[in-house]
Amino acid sequence: MMEAPAVPAWQARAASDGRRRLRLMAWLCRRLGWRAGALLLWPITFSIFLFDAAGRQASRRFLTRALGGEAGNGAARRRPVGTRDIFRHYLTFAETLLDRFFLLQGRRALFDIRVEGREHLVAATAAGKGVVLLGAHLGSFEMLRFAAGAGAPAAIRMVMQRNAHDALTALFEELDPSFAASVIALPGPDGDGIALALALRETLAGGGVVGLLADRPAAGQAVMVTDFLGAPAAFPLGPFRLAAATGAPVLLGFALRLARRRYLVHIEPLAATITPHHAGKAAGTAEPWAALRPHVTRYAERLAALCREYPYNWFNFHDVWENTDKPGRSRRPPHARDDGRAAGLGGNRAADHRGADG
C-alpha cells in the first residue's frame, strides 16, 4: 500500500477551470437544446484541449496503451496515436457531460440506453446486505445510476467528493433537486470521516447500493499497485475495504457511450464477498492486504479490457501510471487520517484492523 500524491493533478485542474466550463455548459443545456449544444462543444472543447498540455500528454499515453499497447507489454500496436485521437477523447468526455446535464433535467427520452446484467443487481440487493457497486471514470456513472437503478429494488447512492467540485454539485442539485439525496459526500481534509462511515454503513445495512469510482485515489488515500494496461498503476483500497468490513457483495457497473445519445449499461459480479483485509496477516503472508489483492487485480483487468474496447470513454485526464511502484507491491501511508476507519476508507494502522472487524 502506498499514499496518493498530496494534491493530484486532476483535482488541481478541476478546481481551477471547472466553474467556467460548467456555467457555459449549463447555458447550452437550458437555452439551446442538445443539438446546438453539441455543435458548440467543438470550439469549447478545442479551447480546453489547446491549453491543457498535461491532459493531452496523459491522453496520449493512455490511448497508446488502449489502442494497441506500448513496446514491452505484449500487445501489438495497431497504429500510432495522433492529435485527432486525443481531440476525440476530449470531445467524447464533453458530449458525455452534456448528456448528463440533460439527463438531470428529466430529458430521459433523448437517450437510447441498453442495459445488460441488471439481474445481477436485483439478485445482489435481494440478499439484504446492501451492494457495493464499483464503477470508474469510464463512460457516465450518472447514466449508470439512472438506468440500472430504474429496475432495481434499491436506489444507488453515489460517493463523490464535494470539496473539489462545489460548482458541479450545486449545478446538479439545481437541475435535479433529488440529486443531493443520491450523494454520499466524501469529507474534505478537515471533514468528518466518522459521518461518512455512518452514512455508508447505514445505506448498506438498509439493503441499499453504494456506488464508488475505484480507479482514482484521493490525496492521502491507501492504494494498491497492480498491472493496468501493461504497466503498474495505483488503485484505491477504500472501496474494497468497505466491502470486506460490511460483507456486502461487490458488482462492477459501467455506462459506456456507444454513439451520440446511445449508451450500453453493463453490470457484472466481482465478488459475492470479500475476506476482511487482515486475513493476509493471519495467514502469515508478507503483505497484510493479500486478501484484497485478487479483487483489486480483477477490477483492474476488467477495467483494462473495457478501456481497450471503448478507449474514448476513459475520462481520467491525468497519468495513472505516475508515482507507482512495481506491480504486486503495497505500502501504508505514513500520515493517513484516522477518520473514516469504520467505513474502511481510512489508511492508518488502527483503521486497518478496526474496519475489518466491522
Side-chain angles (χ1 to χ4, degrees):
M1 186 177 65
M2 57 184 287
E3 184 179 11
V7 181
W10 65 266
Q11 197 169 15
R13 288 197 297 272
S16 65
D17 60 15
R19 189 176 299 274
R20 174 178 55 84
R21 299 185 196 183
L22 289 170
R23 285 178 176 172
L24 185 55
M25 291 293 293
W27 182 81
L28 294 176
C29 291
R30 291 169 174 164
R31 304 289 181 180
L32 303 179
W34 192 94
R35 290 185 180 276
L39 288 175
L40 287 176
L41 279 181
W42 283 74
I44 296 169
T45 303
F46 181 75
S47 67
I48 296 169
F49 165 83
L50 189 63
F51 293 103
D52 187 15
R56 292 197 310 271
Q57 183 178 4
S59 173
R60 181 181 297 276
R61 187 174 184 189
F62 165 77
L63 289 174
T64 298
R65 293 183 176 277
L67 293 174
E70 293 180 340
N73 73 350
R77 183 179 297 177
R78 294 203 300 253
R79 59 178 175 79
V81 173
T83 302
R84 181 176 298 180
D85 293 300
I86 300 171
F87 181 74
R88 179 182 173 184
H89 194 189
Y90 274 74
L91 187 62
T92 301
F93 170 66
E95 291 187 343
T96 302
L97 186 59
L98 184 68
D99 290 345
R100 190 177 186 184
F101 288 145
F102 276 97
L103 186 70
L104 288 171
Q105 289 184 93
R107 304 287 298 277
R108 294 170 176 85
L110 287 173
F111 304 102
D112 176 11
I113 307 172
R114 179 164 58 93
V115 181
E116 59 182 29
R118 184 187 278 125
E119 67 274 10
H120 298 303
L121 182 59
V122 173
T125 52
K129 295 183 179 180
V131 177
V132 174
L133 180 65
L134 299 185
H137 293 81
L138 182 73
S140 171
F141 201 89
E142 190 63 38
M143 199 69 70
L144 170 67
R145 185 177 70 87
F146 160 70
I156 300 173
R157 297 193 68 191
M158 179 64 186
V159 179
M160 62 177 285
Q161 287 187 314
R162 301 185 66 158
N163 57 328
H165 300 287
D166 289 338
L168 181 64
T169 302
L171 178 59
F172 286 167
E173 290 177 356
E174 180 181 344
L175 294 172
D176 181 3
S178 68
F179 178 79
S182 71
V183 170
I184 299 175
L186 283 170
D190 299 319
D192 186 0
I194 301 300
L196 168 64
L198 292 175
L200 292 170
R201 287 179 176 270
E202 180 181 357
T203 299
L204 293 173
V209 181
V210 172
L212 303 104
L213 304 184
D215 60 331
R216 179 186 286 177
Q221 187 175 7
V223 298
M224 180 171 282
V225 177
T226 191
D227 182 85
F228 178 61
L229 291 172
F235 292 88
L237 279 173
F240 303 93
R241 296 171 63 187
L242 173 65
T246 60
V250 184
L251 302 178
L252 301 181
F254 307 94
L256 302 158
R257 184 181 181 276
L258 304 179
R260 285 192 166 187
R261 295 186 291 180
R262 288 185 56 225
Y263 286 83
L264 168 65
V265 173
H266 174 78
I267 302 170
E268 64 179 78
L270 179 71
T273 185
I274 292 181
T275 304
H277 55 255
H278 58 57
K281 282 187 175 179
T285 63
E287 182 184 40
W289 304 89
L292 299 183
R293 179 161 296 284
H295 307 294
V296 177
T297 299
R298 175 62 177 165
Y299 172 84
E301 289 173 348
R302 291 299 298 135
L303 182 60
L306 289 169
C307 284
R308 291 192 186 279
E309 190 170 358
Y310 304 97
Y312 300 103
N313 275 248
W314 173 254
F315 303 140
N316 257 332
F317 289 95
H318 76 287
D319 194 340
V320 300
W321 296 281
E322 286 182 338
N323 303 309
T324 55
D325 211 3
K326 294 180 179 180
R329 293 285 302 278
S330 63
R331 289 179 286 173
R332 187 182 310 280
H335 303 297
R337 291 174 53 85
D338 188 53
D339 292 347
R341 56 184 178 272
L345 297 177
N348 68 351
R349 187 175 300 275
D352 296 345
H353 298 287
R354 194 173 307 187
D357 293 337

